Amino acid sequence: MRVLVIEDEPDLLTVLAQSLREAGYAVDTASDGREGLFKAQGGEYDALLLDLMIPRLDGWALLKTLRAGGNSVPVLVLTARDALPDRVRGLDTGADDYLTKPYELQELLARLRAIIRRSAGKPSSSVEVGDVVIDTVKRTVVKAGQAVALTAREYALVEYLALHRGELVTRSMLYDHLFDEDDDSLSNLVDVHVSNIRKKLGKDLIVTRRGQGYLLDETPLEPGRGNPDV
Amino acid sequence: MFSALKSIRWTLQLWHAAILAAALASFGTALYLAASREQVGRVDRELEAAAQVLVGMPPGRPFGGPGGGMPPPPEEFGLPDPNGRPDPGSMGMRPPWGPRGPGGAGGPSAADSADRGPGGAGGRLPMDSLDHGPGGPGGRGGRMEFVIEQWWTHVRQDVLRRIGQSEQDQPYFVIWGQRGEVLRTSDVNLTVPAPALPARTPGPSMSPQFREREGLREVILQGPFGTRVLVGKSLRSEEAAIRRLLWSLLMAGAAVMAVGLYGGWWLSKRALRPIAVISDTARTISGSDLSRRITVGETESELGSLAQTLNETFDRLETAFQRQIRFTADASHELRTPVSIIHSHAELALSRERTAEEYRQALETCLRAAKRTKSLVDALLVLARADAGKLQVKVESFDLKDAAEECLALVASRAEERHVALETHLEAVTLAADRTRILQLLTNLLVNAIQYNREGGRVTLSVCAQDADAVVSIADTGIGIPAEDQAHLFERFFRADKARSREAGGSGLGLAICQSIVEAHGGSISFTSRQDSGTTFTVRLPATA
């Protein structure tokens, strides 16, 4: 998962980025509204963490512009403004959730997971594919009752595919969502990760569509769901 | 009850009632008095007319006219017919005791003269020999009696016609002779006190005397040959009429009072209703919602301008409240940020095993944030105290030049970092003020001047005395303050260039505090600024507090 953190307070920005990275996210940062809007519109993010009181373009204006442009990226507003009118305004302008500072990290991560899940249309936080159970909260994968050790990147890949279960995920989508802007990874890395995962979880978990991408758990789909073979 | 007395409405009502009652009372009294006087006058005229009939003078015939001195010749009068038939049409009738003329003495004269002695025919008034009443002993006075009776009946009719028809009026007359003896009376049972003896004028007199006794009104005329004629009547019917008038007045007065009071009550209710509306709205506004206003129907009336004034007051209140709310919101926001930093860094550092370096960095960041919190809290306290008017100013006498030099030393390193040169023009000026606060003031301004300066720029600090004031000016060669920001510069938490000042750790309270300090000393602070050219702040402080 890749998130964009927009916060102008430098000490807070660094700790947020670090906390999220340690929780397995790929994190991009912006310290004012204009930079934030530019990155949000240009990049592919699974979620946005937005402070409202930022210079150059305040959080509300950024949100409004983003939504007006049709961008439906889930947004978690993180701000010191806790008055009721502020909360209402934030949510009505287009935020998916509202958290006030000072925040508890656990809650922040849980809410982030929730809005990402919701926007992917996957209400449950655990995904079962055959005998593989992926718990997105605990960040664990269990196969046939046995815990499977995955690297952070491997898990991230599995999680992403699980979140888009049944949908075709292209390689470039994986690049965008697993690596942040500072990562100079080679594209091959994705294939390496996939093969490693297959070794650990079985060949049937991830299906390759030659020339297009991967998907998790090819269950018969309704026509028009994005499966080109049907 | 007493609160009712204090109410405007009740006061209005009472006054209204009092004035109305006074007006009605005086009007009613005047009317009553006029009516009774008019009535008495009428009665008097009637009595006088009747008396004059008795005296034998036609009403309106002036005394002293032709034949004056004496009553007119009898031909003018209709004498009672010798046969006893009365002549009712005559205006005046000659009294039987009057002087007889040549013509128609007739029966009575003959009868009279039969009684009379040597006075005989010729017109002597046989006063002494007149009988008293119709019931007198017959015989000698029989014919005379008859004549007198006839005469009295006619006269009585006339008198009655003049002075009232009803029996209740009971008119009566009495005639006294020259010596005060009763010559004739309408009712022998009457006891009427004789009037005072008149002055010795032998002829009849025109000027009547009026008197009243025991509910009877009487007129006394002087008749011929020293006689006195009195006619009176009971005033009972007049009194009844006056009482009826009085009742009518009272009833009418009461009705008018009732209508007036009711009308006044309704009118005052209408007039005072807007006040109730205004006070209700005002109470709601100040109680719950400061954004509402009293609807002003007409702006010209007294209540309209009252409502307007109240609305303006509410405007000012609302502005002040909004400013206060904004201040509190901004303050809490500013405080939350460093608290979040400390919280997050500590939480992250403790979430797993870290290197010593990582712990150190986390602690350093926490300390930085804690310092920021402290300075913010201090600034907020100063402002809060200033707002409450409780900013303590410990006044001491010191040299402003020394204080300025101290500040320069404090900021010297910062200026060096930014390659800003510090220039001074300092005069020795003695100032009575709070030294610590003045240092704070100067330092704030100097830091700003360095902060918002160019690389290699200059800051000039001048101290001098002007009139009774100490004047400090701090000029920089910086980027200047944009015109749209100038009005807000002293506002709390206002930052002209948000990004820059955030890096520097400023909270936007510096200038607000400067202003509070200056104001606590009774001075003034102002600035001039040119875009890209620089800004100059000028502080004036009274040299003696």
Side-chain angles (χ1 to χ4, degrees):
Chain A
M1 300 292 136
R2 191 171 173 204
V3 298
L4 173 63
V5 179
I6 306 170
E7 166 67 59
D8 66 324
E9 185 61 52
D11 284 336
L12 214 45
L13 187 57
T14 50
V15 73
L16 270 172
Q18 192 178 351
S19 310
L20 289 171
R21 282 194 187 113
E22 290 189 8
Y25 291 94
V27 179
D28 288 353
T29 60
S31 52
D32 67 67
R34 258 199 263 283
E35 188 189 357
L37 183 64
F38 176 69
K39 285 192 174 169
Q41 283 170 333
E44 281 280 327
Y45 294 103
D46 293 292
L48 235 60
L49 209 59
L50 177 64
D51 179 23
L52 291 174
M53 308 294 285
I54 44 180
R56 295 240 176 83
L57 185 70
D58 71 49
W60 290 287
L62 190 154
L63 203 44
K64 212 182 260 180
T65 315
L66 206 60
R67 294 301 186 221
N71 193 324
S72 57
V73 62
V75 173
L76 174 61
V77 163
L78 184 67
T79 177
R81 294 187 74 104
D82 70 334
L84 178 65
D86 295 320
R87 299 208 296 273
V88 170
R89 188 181 170 198
L91 290 166
D92 281 345
T93 314
D96 295 273
D97 203 351
Y98 199 101
L99 191 59
T100 55
K101 298 175 195 167
Y103 57 89
E104 294 288 338
L105 187 59
Q106 298 297 329
E107 191 181 0
L108 174 65
L109 295 173
R111 285 182 187 265
L112 210 50
R113 279 195 296 271
I115 59 174
I116 293 172
R117 235 180 15 239
R118 186 55 63 179
S119 97
K122 302 289 187 289
S124 168
S125 62
S126 93
V127 181
E128 280 184 39
V129 187
D131 61 352
V132 176
V133 179
I134 304 159
D135 186 336
T136 57
V137 176
K138 298 206 198 79
R139 303 183 71 82
T140 58
V141 178
V142 172
K143 182 178 167 70
Q146 293 277 14
V148 178
L150 295 171
T151 68
R153 277 279 151 77
E154 287 165 2
Y155 174 79
L157 205 153
V158 170
E159 185 189 42
Y160 191 79
L161 286 174
L163 212 66
H164 296 89
R165 178 182 184 171
E167 297 162 40
L168 180 71
V169 176
T170 66
R171 250 213 208 96
S172 59
M173 279 163 75
L174 283 171
Y175 296 149
D176 287 335
H177 287 269
L178 296 183
F179 306 117
D180 59 40
E181 62 195 349
D182 302 324
D183 230 312
D184 311 321
S185 310
L186 304 166
S187 60
N188 271 1
L189 223 49
V190 172
D191 299 327
V192 169
H193 287 315
V194 169
S195 79
N196 285 341
I197 290 167
R198 280 196 173 124
K199 282 188 205 140
K200 294 178 184 177
L201 296 175
K203 289 194 195 311
D204 308 320
L205 190 65
I206 301 177
V207 174
T208 307
R209 292 230 173 274
R210 228 156 194 40
Q212 283 155 8
Y214 304 98
L215 61 92
L216 193 87
D217 183 36
E218 185 182 33
T219 35
L221 298 165
E222 299 97 64
R225 248 312 278 286
N227 189 339
D229 282 348
V230 178
Chain B
M1 180 58 199
F2 283 110
S3 67
L5 283 180
K6 283 202 202 122
S7 134
I8 292 183
R9 227 167 141 201
W10 277 106
T11 314
L12 263 179
Q13 197 63 9
L14 283 170
W15 275 104
H16 175 69
I19 292 174
L20 190 61
L24 283 174
S26 50
F27 176 70
T29 310
L31 198 65
Y32 177 80
L33 290 176
S36 32
R37 199 177 336 193
E38 149 70 23
Q39 189 182 64
V40 165
R42 193 167 40 79
V43 166
D44 287 349
R45 278 192 299 281
E46 289 164 353
L47 290 176
E48 191 186 335
Q52 291 189 345
V53 165
L54 289 176
V55 164
M57 273 186 276
R61 179 86 181 254
F63 176 62
M70 298 293 282
E75 293 88 61
E76 297 233 4
F77 294 74
L79 276 175
D81 188 285
N83 296 325
R85 251 185 304 120
D87 183 5
S90 67
M91 278 286 286
M93 292 186 131
R94 192 169 158 224
W97 65 82
R100 251 137 259 140
S109 331
D112 280 353
S113 50
D115 299 347
R116 277 176 221 130
R124 288 279 161 250
L125 183 64
M127 294 295 236
D128 302 330
S129 52
L130 276 177
D131 280 330
H132 283 277
R140 172 171 92 113
R143 180 99 174 110
M144 171 72 144
E145 285 305 317
F146 176 74
V147 162
I148 286 175
E149 278 314 304
Q150 287 294 318
W151 170 85
W152 171 234
T153 313
H154 299 317
V155 164
R156 196 155 180 272
Q157 274 176 11
D158 208 6
V159 167
L160 277 178
R161 184 165 51 79
R162 287 179 202 279
I163 64 178
Q165 300 285 337
S166 86
E167 277 310 308
Q168 174 180 236
D169 288 340
Q170 297 170 357
Y172 55 91
F173 76 90
V174 181
I175 304 171
W176 289 275
Q178 203 166 19
R179 285 186 289 279
E181 74 286 13
V182 176
L183 294 178
R184 196 88 181 111
T185 170
S186 59
D187 181 353
V188 79
N189 295 323
L190 273 180
T191 39
V192 178
L197 286 171
R200 293 233 167 209
T201 42
S205 152
M206 274 298 288
S207 45
Q209 275 175 27
F210 294 95
R211 76 176 187 195
E212 187 164 333
R213 56 178 189 94
E214 299 165 16
L216 306 163
R217 187 81 178 163
E218 297 168 343
V219 69
I220 300 150
L221 277 185
Q222 211 174 324
F225 313 112
T227 56
R228 276 159 287 146
V229 172
L230 177 144
V231 179
K233 68 175 270 198
S234 155
L235 291 174
R236 223 181 297 165
S237 65
E238 275 76 20
E239 278 170 6
I242 276 285
R243 264 201 300 280
R244 276 198 301 277
L245 174 67
L246 186 64
W247 265 115
S248 312
L249 282 178
L250 285 174
M251 298 276 94
V256 170
M257 273 290 278
V259 169
L261 285 179
Y262 179 74
W265 182 256
W266 174 82
L267 197 65
S268 70
K269 187 160 125 187
R270 263 200 63 164
L272 293 179
R273 188 166 10 113
I275 293 186
V277 169
I278 287 178
S279 81
D280 280 339
T281 315
R283 201 173 303 127
T284 326
I285 290 176
S286 57
S288 58
D289 183 7
L290 263 180
S291 62
R292 283 181 53 199
R293 293 288 175 270
I294 304 166
T295 40
V296 183
E298 353 71 22
T299 41
E300 292 308 317
S301 83
E302 295 88 349
L303 289 176
S305 66
L306 169 69
Q308 198 111 354
T309 310
L310 277 174
N311 277 345
E312 280 162 24
T313 311
F314 286 132
D315 281 338
R316 284 199 299 277
L317 260 178
E318 193 183 9
T319 319
F321 259 114
Q322 302 283 35
R323 221 178 315 134
Q324 195 62 28
I325 290 171
R326 264 233 357 246
F327 177 59
T328 317
D330 287 340
S332 81
H333 179 266
E334 287 296 324
L335 279 170
R336 285 197 155 123
T337 308
V339 169
S340 298
I341 293 171
I342 295 171
H343 182 110
S344 324
H345 277 269
E347 196 176 31
L348 189 63
L350 292 169
S351 66
R352 59 163 90 148
E353 202 60 43
R354 306 259 174 210
T355 67
E357 179 60 26
E358 282 172 328
Y359 286 135
R360 198 181 57 78
Q361 276 187 354
L363 285 171
E364 272 178 2
T365 313
C366 288
L367 185 60
R368 220 173 24 242
K371 283 184 178 168
R372 195 163 130 194
T373 312
K374 178 189 179 307
S375 74
L376 188 62
V377 166
D378 287 341
L380 287 172
L381 259 172
V382 168
L383 288 173
R385 288 206 184 108
D387 278 350
K390 290 198 177 65
L391 189 62
Q392 275 177 331
V393 173
K394 266 195 302 257
V395 174
E396 54 183 296
S397 211
F398 61 95
D399 191 348
L400 194 52
K401 181 161 177 259
D402 291 336
E405 281 167 352
E406 209 176 301
C407 293
L408 285 166
L410 280 171
V411 302
S413 56
R414 208 188 281 246
E416 224 178 89
E417 272 173 43
R418 298 210 47 157
H419 303 110
V420 169
L422 292 173
E423 240 183 59
T424 60
H425 299 288
L426 304 176
E427 278 173 29
V429 177
T430 316
L431 184 64
D434 187 324
R435 197 166 193 279
T436 320
R437 298 258 179 245
I438 298 295
L439 281 177
Q440 195 178 3
L441 167 70
L442 293 177
T443 313
N444 256 334
L445 290 172
L446 281 170
V447 164
N448 275 354
I450 295 168
Q451 201 68 38
Y452 293 95
N453 217 323
R454 310 166 194 285
E455 284 278 324
R458 190 175 57 245
V459 169
T460 314
L461 169 66
S462 336
V463 172
C464 65
Q466 234 177 58
D467 309 321
D469 295 336
V471 179
V472 178
S473 85
I474 294 169
D476 66 61
T477 54
I479 49 172
I481 301 164
E484 64 268 16
D485 290 340
Q486 288 189 14
H488 304 290
L489 210 62
F490 290 103
E491 272 176 24
R492 298 164 182 195
F493 295 115
F494 181 79
R495 278 188 282 262
D497 185 357
K498 293 207 176 116
R500 260 175 101 152
S501 57
R502 178 71 86 175
E503 286 161 22
S507 61
L509 291 176
L511 281 175
I513 291 181
C514 289
Q515 191 179 47
S516 293
I517 294 174
V518 163
E519 278 170 7
H521 285 91
S524 70
I525 179 169
S526 61
F527 66 93
T528 54
S529 180
R530 279 256 307 275
Q531 197 99 31
D532 292 326
S533 154
T535 313
T536 307
F537 275 86
T538 311
V539 174
R540 287 183 160 270
L541 295 166
T544 45

